[in-house]
mmCIF file of all heavy atoms in Angstrom:
data_model
loop_
_atom_site.group_PDB
_atom_site.id
_atom_site.type_symbol
_atom_site.label_atom_id
_atom_site.label_comp_id
_atom_site.label_asym_id
_atom_site.label_seq_id
_atom_site.Cartn_x
_atom_site.Cartn_y
_atom_site.Cartn_z
ATOM 1 N N PHE M 1 -1.036 5.376 2.168
ATOM 2 C CA PHE M 1 -2.319 6.051 2.263
ATOM 3 C C PHE M 1 -2.322 7.208 1.283
ATOM 4 O O PHE M 1 -1.270 7.609 0.776
ATOM 5 C CB PHE M 1 -2.560 6.568 3.691
ATOM 6 C CG PHE M 1 -2.777 5.487 4.706
ATOM 7 C CD1 PHE M 1 -1.723 4.720 5.175
ATOM 8 C CD2 PHE M 1 -4.052 5.235 5.203
ATOM 9 C CE1 PHE M 1 -1.923 3.728 6.111
ATOM 10 C CE2 PHE M 1 -4.266 4.244 6.146
ATOM 11 C CZ PHE M 1 -3.202 3.490 6.595
ATOM 12 N N ARG M 2 -3.510 7.750 1.014
ATOM 13 C CA ARG M 2 -3.587 8.899 0.131
ATOM 14 C C ARG M 2 -4.716 9.819 0.561
ATOM 15 O O ARG M 2 -5.672 9.399 1.210
ATOM 16 C CB ARG M 2 -3.790 8.473 -1.325
ATOM 17 C CG ARG M 2 -5.134 7.814 -1.610
ATOM 18 C CD ARG M 2 -5.193 7.315 -3.044
ATOM 19 N NE ARG M 2 -6.474 6.702 -3.352
ATOM 20 C CZ ARG M 2 -6.749 6.096 -4.495
ATOM 21 N NH1 ARG M 2 -5.823 6.022 -5.453
ATOM 22 N NH2 ARG M 2 -7.955 5.560 -4.698
ATOM 23 N N GLN M 3 -4.583 11.075 0.187
ATOM 24 C CA GLN M 3 -5.617 12.057 0.474
ATOM 25 C C GLN M 3 -5.884 12.869 -0.784
ATOM 26 O O GLN M 3 -5.020 13.617 -1.249
ATOM 27 C CB GLN M 3 -5.212 12.976 1.627
ATOM 28 C CG GLN M 3 -6.322 13.919 2.058
ATOM 29 C CD GLN M 3 -6.024 14.602 3.380
ATOM 30 O OE1 GLN M 3 -4.867 14.689 3.793
ATOM 31 N NE2 GLN M 3 -7.055 15.076 4.038
ATOM 32 N N ALA M 4 -7.073 12.705 -1.330
ATOM 33 C CA ALA M 4 -7.485 13.419 -2.529
ATOM 34 C C ALA M 4 -8.100 14.762 -2.151
ATOM 35 O O ALA M 4 -8.554 14.951 -1.019
ATOM 36 C CB ALA M 4 -8.483 12.584 -3.323
ATOM 37 N N PRO M 5 -8.141 15.697 -3.087
ATOM 38 C CA PRO M 5 -8.747 16.997 -2.803
ATOM 39 C C PRO M 5 -10.179 16.857 -2.312
ATOM 40 O O PRO M 5 -10.990 16.172 -2.934
ATOM 41 C CB PRO M 5 -8.696 17.710 -4.156
ATOM 42 C CG PRO M 5 -7.541 17.085 -4.862
ATOM 43 C CD PRO M 5 -7.575 15.641 -4.449
ATOM 44 N N GLY M 6 -10.479 17.485 -1.199
ATOM 45 C CA GLY M 6 -11.822 17.463 -0.658
ATOM 46 C C GLY M 6 -12.225 16.173 0.024
ATOM 47 O O GLY M 6 -13.394 16.028 0.406
ATOM 48 N N LYS M 7 -11.295 15.244 0.192
ATOM 49 C CA LYS M 7 -11.601 13.965 0.810
ATOM 50 C C LYS M 7 -10.662 13.700 1.982
ATOM 51 O O LYS M 7 -9.600 14.301 2.099
ATOM 52 C CB LYS M 7 -11.486 12.829 -0.202
ATOM 53 C CG LYS M 7 -12.414 12.951 -1.398
ATOM 54 C CD LYS M 7 -12.229 11.812 -2.375
ATOM 55 C CE LYS M 7 -12.621 10.478 -1.773
ATOM 56 N NZ LYS M 7 -12.499 9.361 -2.756
ATOM 57 N N GLU M 8 -11.071 12.782 2.842
ATOM 58 C CA GLU M 8 -10.238 12.416 3.970
ATOM 59 C C GLU M 8 -9.189 11.397 3.543
ATOM 60 O O GLU M 8 -9.311 10.740 2.506
ATOM 61 C CB GLU M 8 -11.090 11.862 5.111
ATOM 62 C CG GLU M 8 -11.839 10.594 4.779
ATOM 63 C CD GLU M 8 -12.744 10.148 5.905
ATOM 64 O OE1 GLU M 8 -12.886 10.911 6.877
ATOM 65 O OE2 GLU M 8 -13.303 9.044 5.824
ATOM 66 N N ARG M 9 -8.160 11.267 4.349
ATOM 67 C CA ARG M 9 -7.105 10.317 4.045
ATOM 68 C C ARG M 9 -7.646 8.888 4.078
ATOM 69 O O ARG M 9 -8.425 8.524 4.952
ATOM 70 C CB ARG M 9 -5.972 10.481 5.047
ATOM 71 C CG ARG M 9 -4.715 9.709 4.698
ATOM 72 C CD ARG M 9 -3.597 9.993 5.705
ATOM 73 N NE ARG M 9 -3.245 11.407 5.728
ATOM 74 C CZ ARG M 9 -2.299 11.916 6.520
ATOM 75 N NH1 ARG M 9 -1.613 11.138 7.338
ATOM 76 N NH2 ARG M 9 -2.054 13.214 6.481
ATOM 77 N N GLU M 10 -7.225 8.070 3.115
ATOM 78 C CA GLU M 10 -7.730 6.723 3.018
ATOM 79 C C GLU M 10 -6.601 5.721 2.819
ATOM 80 O O GLU M 10 -5.539 6.044 2.287
ATOM 81 C CB GLU M 10 -8.736 6.588 1.872
ATOM 82 C CG GLU M 10 -8.128 6.781 0.493
ATOM 83 C CD GLU M 10 -9.121 6.536 -0.630
ATOM 84 O OE1 GLU M 10 -10.273 6.146 -0.337
ATOM 85 O OE2 GLU M 10 -8.752 6.735 -1.799
ATOM 86 N N PHE M 11 -6.869 4.505 3.221
ATOM 87 C CA PHE M 11 -5.937 3.408 3.048
ATOM 88 C C PHE M 11 -5.810 3.042 1.582
ATOM 89 O O PHE M 11 -6.800 3.027 0.852
ATOM 90 C CB PHE M 11 -6.421 2.205 3.851
ATOM 91 C CG PHE M 11 -5.687 0.935 3.546
ATOM 92 C CD1 PHE M 11 -4.415 0.712 4.035
ATOM 93 C CD2 PHE M 11 -6.276 -0.051 2.772
ATOM 94 C CE1 PHE M 11 -3.736 -0.462 3.764
ATOM 95 C CE2 PHE M 11 -5.618 -1.225 2.487
ATOM 96 C CZ PHE M 11 -4.339 -1.430 2.992
ATOM 97 N N VAL M 12 -4.589 2.718 1.152
ATOM 98 C CA VAL M 12 -4.345 2.298 -0.219
ATOM 99 C C VAL M 12 -3.830 0.867 -0.269
ATOM 100 O O VAL M 12 -4.408 0.008 -0.929
ATOM 101 C CB VAL M 12 -3.343 3.228 -0.933
ATOM 102 C CG1 VAL M 12 -3.041 2.709 -2.340
ATOM 103 C CG2 VAL M 12 -3.887 4.649 -0.984
ATOM 104 N N ALA M 13 -2.727 0.604 0.430
ATOM 105 C CA ALA M 13 -2.115 -0.713 0.391
ATOM 106 C C ALA M 13 -1.201 -0.889 1.587
ATOM 107 O O ALA M 13 -0.710 0.080 2.159
ATOM 108 C CB ALA M 13 -1.323 -0.908 -0.910
ATOM 109 N N ALA M 14 -0.953 -2.139 1.952
ATOM 110 C CA ALA M 14 -0.038 -2.440 3.044
ATOM 111 C C ALA M 14 0.646 -3.770 2.790
ATOM 112 O O ALA M 14 0.119 -4.630 2.073
ATOM 113 C CB ALA M 14 -0.774 -2.477 4.386
ATOM 114 N N ILE M 15 1.810 -3.935 3.391
ATOM 115 C CA ILE M 15 2.587 -5.150 3.220
ATOM 116 C C ILE M 15 3.132 -5.581 4.569
ATOM 117 O O ILE M 15 3.611 -4.770 5.363
ATOM 118 C CB ILE M 15 3.713 -4.939 2.182
ATOM 119 C CG1 ILE M 15 4.440 -6.248 1.877
ATOM 120 C CG2 ILE M 15 4.688 -3.851 2.649
ATOM 121 C CD1 ILE M 15 5.308 -6.163 0.618
ATOM 122 N N SER M 16 3.063 -6.875 4.831
ATOM 123 C CA SER M 16 3.435 -7.405 6.134
ATOM 124 C C SER M 16 4.930 -7.661 6.249
ATOM 125 O O SER M 16 5.693 -7.531 5.284
ATOM 126 C CB SER M 16 2.680 -8.708 6.405
ATOM 127 O OG SER M 16 3.186 -9.757 5.591
ATOM 128 N N ARG M 17 5.314 -8.065 7.437
ATOM 129 C CA ARG M 17 6.675 -8.506 7.695
ATOM 130 C C ARG M 17 7.077 -9.591 6.708
ATOM 131 O O ARG M 17 6.363 -10.575 6.539
ATOM 132 C CB ARG M 17 6.758 -9.029 9.134
ATOM 133 C CG ARG M 17 8.078 -9.636 9.533
ATOM 134 C CD ARG M 17 7.990 -10.134 10.955
ATOM 135 N NE ARG M 17 9.235 -10.704 11.440
ATOM 136 C CZ ARG M 17 9.425 -11.166 12.656
ATOM 137 N NH1 ARG M 17 8.437 -11.112 13.550
ATOM 138 N NH2 ARG M 17 10.603 -11.673 13.001
ATOM 139 N N GLY M 18 8.196 -9.392 6.046
ATOM 140 C CA GLY M 18 8.655 -10.357 5.067
ATOM 141 C C GLY M 18 7.902 -10.332 3.754
ATOM 142 O O GLY M 18 8.226 -11.114 2.850
ATOM 143 N N GLY M 19 6.900 -9.472 3.626
ATOM 144 C CA GLY M 19 6.131 -9.378 2.399
ATOM 145 C C GLY M 19 5.229 -10.574 2.147
ATOM 146 O O GLY M 19 4.809 -10.798 1.007
ATOM 147 N N VAL M 20 4.919 -11.333 3.197
ATOM 148 C CA VAL M 20 4.106 -12.530 3.039
ATOM 149 C C VAL M 20 2.677 -12.195 2.621
ATOM 150 O O VAL M 20 2.078 -12.881 1.795
ATOM 151 C CB VAL M 20 4.111 -13.360 4.338
ATOM 152 C CG1 VAL M 20 3.154 -14.543 4.237
ATOM 153 C CG2 VAL M 20 5.519 -13.837 4.647
ATOM 154 N N ARG M 21 2.122 -11.150 3.191
ATOM 155 C CA ARG M 21 0.745 -10.769 2.900
ATOM 156 C C ARG M 21 0.665 -9.309 2.494
ATOM 157 O O ARG M 21 1.364 -8.463 3.050
ATOM 158 C CB ARG M 21 -0.154 -11.015 4.106
ATOM 159 C CG ARG M 21 -1.615 -10.637 3.867
ATOM 160 C CD ARG M 21 -2.465 -10.921 5.089
ATOM 161 N NE ARG M 21 -2.566 -12.359 5.348
ATOM 162 C CZ ARG M 21 -3.467 -13.151 4.778
ATOM 163 N NH1 ARG M 21 -4.337 -12.668 3.905
ATOM 164 N NH2 ARG M 21 -3.489 -14.447 5.079
ATOM 165 N N THR M 22 -0.179 -9.045 1.525
ATOM 166 C CA THR M 22 -0.480 -7.682 1.123
ATOM 167 C C THR M 22 -1.984 -7.469 1.136
ATOM 168 O O THR M 22 -2.765 -8.415 0.985
ATOM 169 C CB THR M 22 0.064 -7.362 -0.276
ATOM 170 O OG1 THR M 22 -0.487 -8.284 -1.225
ATOM 171 C CG2 THR M 22 1.584 -7.466 -0.303
ATOM 172 N N GLU M 23 -2.382 -6.231 1.336
ATOM 173 C CA GLU M 23 -3.789 -5.858 1.301
ATOM 174 C C GLU M 23 -3.933 -4.583 0.483
ATOM 175 O O GLU M 23 -3.052 -3.717 0.502
ATOM 176 C CB GLU M 23 -4.343 -5.631 2.707
ATOM 177 C CG GLU M 23 -4.368 -6.862 3.599
ATOM 178 C CD GLU M 23 -5.440 -7.860 3.207
ATOM 179 O OE1 GLU M 23 -6.381 -7.475 2.468
ATOM 180 O OE2 GLU M 23 -5.352 -9.025 3.627
ATOM 181 N N TYR M 24 -5.068 -4.477 -0.214
ATOM 182 C CA TYR M 24 -5.329 -3.324 -1.054
ATOM 183 C C TYR M 24 -6.751 -2.819 -0.868
ATOM 184 O O TYR M 24 -7.674 -3.604 -0.631
ATOM 185 C CB TYR M 24 -5.134 -3.667 -2.529
ATOM 186 C CG TYR M 24 -3.732 -4.097 -2.887
ATOM 187 C CD1 TYR M 24 -3.369 -5.436 -2.862
ATOM 188 C CD2 TYR M 24 -2.776 -3.155 -3.255
ATOM 189 C CE1 TYR M 24 -2.079 -5.830 -3.195
ATOM 190 C CE2 TYR M 24 -1.491 -3.540 -3.583
ATOM 191 C CZ TYR M 24 -1.149 -4.881 -3.552
ATOM 192 O OH TYR M 24 0.136 -5.267 -3.886
ATOM 193 N N GLU M 25 -6.910 -1.524 -0.985
ATOM 194 C CA GLU M 25 -8.238 -0.954 -1.031
ATOM 195 C C GLU M 25 -8.906 -1.421 -2.319
ATOM 196 O O GLU M 25 -8.253 -1.587 -3.352
ATOM 197 C CB GLU M 25 -8.161 0.570 -0.978
ATOM 198 C CG GLU M 25 -9.510 1.275 -0.968
ATOM 199 C CD GLU M 25 -10.300 1.009 0.286
ATOM 200 O OE1 GLU M 25 -9.686 0.716 1.337
ATOM 201 O OE2 GLU M 25 -11.540 1.087 0.241
ATOM 202 N N ASP M 26 -10.211 -1.629 -2.269
ATOM 203 C CA ASP M 26 -10.927 -2.168 -3.414
ATOM 204 C C ASP M 26 -10.730 -1.340 -4.683
ATOM 205 O O ASP M 26 -10.658 -1.890 -5.785
ATOM 206 C CB ASP M 26 -12.422 -2.271 -3.108
ATOM 207 C CG ASP M 26 -12.736 -3.367 -2.121
ATOM 208 O OD1 ASP M 26 -11.879 -4.243 -1.903
ATOM 209 O OD2 ASP M 26 -13.853 -3.351 -1.574
ATOM 210 N N SER M 27 -10.631 -0.050 -4.537
ATOM 211 C CA SER M 27 -10.532 0.818 -5.699
ATOM 212 C C SER M 27 -9.205 0.698 -6.439
ATOM 213 O O SER M 27 -9.106 1.116 -7.596
ATOM 214 C CB SER M 27 -10.758 2.277 -5.289
ATOM 215 O OG SER M 27 -9.749 2.719 -4.399
ATOM 216 N N VAL M 28 -8.179 0.135 -5.797
ATOM 217 C CA VAL M 28 -6.873 0.004 -6.436
ATOM 218 C C VAL M 28 -6.476 -1.445 -6.668
ATOM 219 O O VAL M 28 -5.460 -1.709 -7.327
ATOM 220 C CB VAL M 28 -5.761 0.711 -5.631
ATOM 221 C CG1 VAL M 28 -6.154 2.154 -5.334
ATOM 222 C CG2 VAL M 28 -5.462 -0.033 -4.332
ATOM 223 N N LEU M 29 -7.246 -2.373 -6.155
ATOM 224 C CA LEU M 29 -6.941 -3.793 -6.293
ATOM 225 C C LEU M 29 -6.841 -4.179 -7.762
ATOM 226 O O LEU M 29 -7.721 -3.878 -8.560
ATOM 227 C CB LEU M 29 -8.015 -4.630 -5.603
ATOM 228 C CG LEU M 29 -7.796 -6.143 -5.581
ATOM 229 C CD1 LEU M 29 -6.571 -6.487 -4.760
ATOM 230 C CD2 LEU M 29 -9.033 -6.845 -5.024
ATOM 231 N N GLY M 30 -5.753 -4.849 -8.110
ATOM 232 C CA GLY M 30 -5.526 -5.250 -9.486
ATOM 233 C C GLY M 30 -4.789 -4.224 -10.313
ATOM 234 O O GLY M 30 -4.328 -4.540 -11.415
ATOM 235 N N ARG M 31 -4.684 -3.017 -9.808
ATOM 236 C CA ARG M 31 -3.984 -1.949 -10.525
ATOM 237 C C ARG M 31 -2.688 -1.529 -9.833
ATOM 238 O O ARG M 31 -1.717 -1.183 -10.498
ATOM 239 C CB ARG M 31 -4.881 -0.724 -10.674
ATOM 240 C CG ARG M 31 -6.167 -0.982 -11.436
ATOM 241 C CD ARG M 31 -6.918 0.311 -11.722
ATOM 242 N NE ARG M 31 -7.322 1.003 -10.495
ATOM 243 C CZ ARG M 31 -6.897 2.212 -10.148
ATOM 244 N NH1 ARG M 31 -6.053 2.879 -10.925
ATOM 245 N NH2 ARG M 31 -7.326 2.783 -9.023
ATOM 246 N N PHE M 32 -2.686 -1.546 -8.505
ATOM 247 C CA PHE M 32 -1.521 -1.131 -7.724
ATOM 248 C C PHE M 32 -0.837 -2.352 -7.118
ATOM 249 O O PHE M 32 -1.487 -3.338 -6.775
ATOM 250 C CB PHE M 32 -1.927 -0.196 -6.587
ATOM 251 C CG PHE M 32 -2.405 1.162 -7.023
ATOM 252 C CD1 PHE M 32 -2.646 1.464 -8.353
ATOM 253 C CD2 PHE M 32 -2.621 2.151 -6.073
ATOM 254 C CE1 PHE M 32 -3.093 2.716 -8.741
ATOM 255 C CE2 PHE M 32 -3.064 3.409 -6.445
ATOM 256 C CZ PHE M 32 -3.300 3.692 -7.776
ATOM 257 N N THR M 33 0.474 -2.264 -6.959
ATOM 258 C CA THR M 33 1.247 -3.324 -6.328
ATOM 259 C C THR M 33 2.201 -2.720 -5.309
ATOM 260 O O THR M 33 2.995 -1.847 -5.643
ATOM 261 C CB THR M 33 2.054 -4.131 -7.351
ATOM 262 O OG1 THR M 33 1.176 -4.707 -8.325
ATOM 263 C CG2 THR M 33 2.824 -5.254 -6.654
ATOM 264 N N ILE M 34 2.111 -3.194 -4.075
ATOM 265 C CA ILE M 34 3.034 -2.756 -3.034
ATOM 266 C C ILE M 34 4.137 -3.799 -2.888
ATOM 267 O O ILE M 34 3.887 -5.003 -2.985
ATOM 268 C CB ILE M 34 2.307 -2.525 -1.695
ATOM 269 C CG1 ILE M 34 3.258 -1.902 -0.668
ATOM 270 C CG2 ILE M 34 1.686 -3.809 -1.165
ATOM 271 C CD1 ILE M 34 2.563 -1.444 0.613
ATOM 272 N N SER M 35 5.351 -3.340 -2.667
ATOM 273 C CA SER M 35 6.480 -4.238 -2.473
ATOM 274 C C SER M 35 7.474 -3.582 -1.528
ATOM 275 O O SER M 35 7.365 -2.395 -1.223
ATOM 276 C CB SER M 35 7.146 -4.593 -3.806
ATOM 277 O OG SER M 35 7.645 -3.432 -4.445
ATOM 278 N N ARG M 36 8.439 -4.361 -1.068
ATOM 279 C CA ARG M 36 9.431 -3.807 -0.160
ATOM 280 C C ARG M 36 10.793 -4.413 -0.424
ATOM 281 O O ARG M 36 10.915 -5.524 -0.953
ATOM 282 C CB ARG M 36 9.007 -4.022 1.297
ATOM 283 C CG ARG M 36 8.953 -5.475 1.744
ATOM 284 C CD ARG M 36 8.238 -5.606 3.094
ATOM 285 N NE ARG M 36 8.876 -4.805 4.123
ATOM 286 C CZ ARG M 36 8.313 -4.498 5.287
ATOM 287 N NH1 ARG M 36 7.076 -4.917 5.567
ATOM 288 N NH2 ARG M 36 8.972 -3.767 6.165
ATOM 289 N N ASP M 37 11.824 -3.675 -0.050
ATOM 290 C CA ASP M 37 13.203 -4.111 -0.172
ATOM 291 C C ASP M 37 13.854 -3.893 1.183
ATOM 292 O O ASP M 37 14.226 -2.771 1.527
ATOM 293 C CB ASP M 37 13.925 -3.325 -1.265
ATOM 294 C CG ASP M 37 15.328 -3.841 -1.534
ATOM 295 O OD1 ASP M 37 15.927 -4.471 -0.652
ATOM 296 O OD2 ASP M 37 15.836 -3.607 -2.654
ATOM 297 N N ASN M 38 13.969 -4.951 1.955
ATOM 298 C CA ASN M 38 14.487 -4.823 3.313
ATOM 299 C C ASN M 38 15.943 -4.370 3.351
ATOM 300 O O ASN M 38 16.350 -3.664 4.270
ATOM 301 C CB ASN M 38 14.334 -6.144 4.060
ATOM 302 C CG ASN M 38 12.904 -6.417 4.463
ATOM 303 O OD1 ASN M 38 12.048 -5.538 4.406
ATOM 304 N ND2 ASN M 38 12.639 -7.646 4.878
ATOM 305 N N ALA M 39 16.725 -4.780 2.364
ATOM 306 C CA ALA M 39 18.128 -4.389 2.326
ATOM 307 C C ALA M 39 18.286 -2.882 2.210
ATOM 308 O O ALA M 39 19.265 -2.312 2.686
ATOM 309 C CB ALA M 39 18.847 -5.087 1.179
ATOM 310 N N LYS M 40 17.306 -2.235 1.572
ATOM 311 C CA LYS M 40 17.345 -0.789 1.386
ATOM 312 C C LYS M 40 16.435 -0.052 2.361
ATOM 313 O O LYS M 40 16.398 1.179 2.340
ATOM 314 C CB LYS M 40 16.957 -0.434 -0.046
ATOM 315 C CG LYS M 40 17.902 -0.983 -1.101
ATOM 316 C CD LYS M 40 17.445 -0.587 -2.497
ATOM 317 C CE LYS M 40 18.389 -1.117 -3.551
ATOM 318 N NZ LYS M 40 17.956 -0.745 -4.920
ATOM 319 N N ASN M 41 15.695 -0.803 3.187
ATOM 320 C CA ASN M 41 14.757 -0.205 4.128
ATOM 321 C C ASN M 41 13.742 0.677 3.392
ATOM 322 O O ASN M 41 13.440 1.797 3.813
ATOM 323 C CB ASN M 41 15.501 0.621 5.183
ATOM 324 C CG ASN M 41 14.790 0.646 6.528
ATOM 325 O OD1 ASN M 41 13.980 -0.225 6.844
ATOM 326 N ND2 ASN M 41 15.100 1.651 7.338
ATOM 327 N N MET M 42 13.214 0.132 2.286
ATOM 328 C CA MET M 42 12.305 0.893 1.440
ATOM 329 C C MET M 42 11.035 0.116 1.129
ATOM 330 O O MET M 42 11.005 -1.109 1.174
ATOM 331 C CB MET M 42 12.989 1.277 0.120
ATOM 332 C CG MET M 42 14.183 2.192 0.284
ATOM 333 S SD MET M 42 14.914 2.717 -1.295
ATOM 334 C CE MET M 42 13.619 3.798 -1.917
ATOM 335 N N VAL M 43 10.000 0.852 0.805
ATOM 336 C CA VAL M 43 8.741 0.279 0.349
ATOM 337 C C VAL M 43 8.332 1.012 -0.917
ATOM 338 O O VAL M 43 8.602 2.208 -1.065
ATOM 339 C CB VAL M 43 7.652 0.358 1.440
ATOM 340 C CG1 VAL M 43 7.340 1.810 1.795
ATOM 341 C CG2 VAL M 43 6.395 -0.378 1.000
ATOM 342 N N TYR M 44 7.665 0.296 -1.830
ATOM 343 C CA TYR M 44 7.318 0.849 -3.126
ATOM 344 C C TYR M 44 5.832 0.683 -3.409
ATOM 345 O O TYR M 44 5.161 -0.189 -2.863
ATOM 346 C CB TYR M 44 8.109 0.155 -4.237
ATOM 347 C CG TYR M 44 9.601 0.144 -4.021
ATOM 348 C CD1 TYR M 44 10.217 -0.919 -3.373
ATOM 349 C CD2 TYR M 44 10.395 1.195 -4.466
ATOM 350 C CE1 TYR M 44 11.586 -0.937 -3.175
ATOM 351 C CE2 TYR M 44 11.763 1.185 -4.267
ATOM 352 C CZ TYR M 44 12.357 0.117 -3.623
ATOM 353 O OH TYR M 44 13.718 0.110 -3.433
#
């Protein structure tokens, strides 16, 4: 999620269990990519 100056917090991207499905806010679709590394317990 993100919060810009003067704006409320908004959804950006999410990734499901196993990375099977991802979702993006329309404003970032095609520009941002969410991914995860389970071995490191991290999301990018």
Side-chain angles (χ1 to χ4, degrees):
F1 291 75
R2 67 185 181 185
Q3 186 167 21
K7 300 179 65 177
E8 63 184 8
R9 190 177 300 180
E10 66 176 356
F11 169 76
V12 176
I15 186 165
S16 72
R17 175 181 182 178
V20 174
R21 180 179 293 274
T22 58
E23 295 287 342
Y24 298 92
E25 182 66 26
D26 289 343
S27 63
V28 308
L29 184 65
R31 300 188 298 117
F32 291 9
T33 302
I34 187 171
S35 61
R36 65 192 303 165
D37 186 336
N38 286 347
K40 297 180 179 180
N41 211 22
M42 297 184 70
V43 62
Y44 307 92

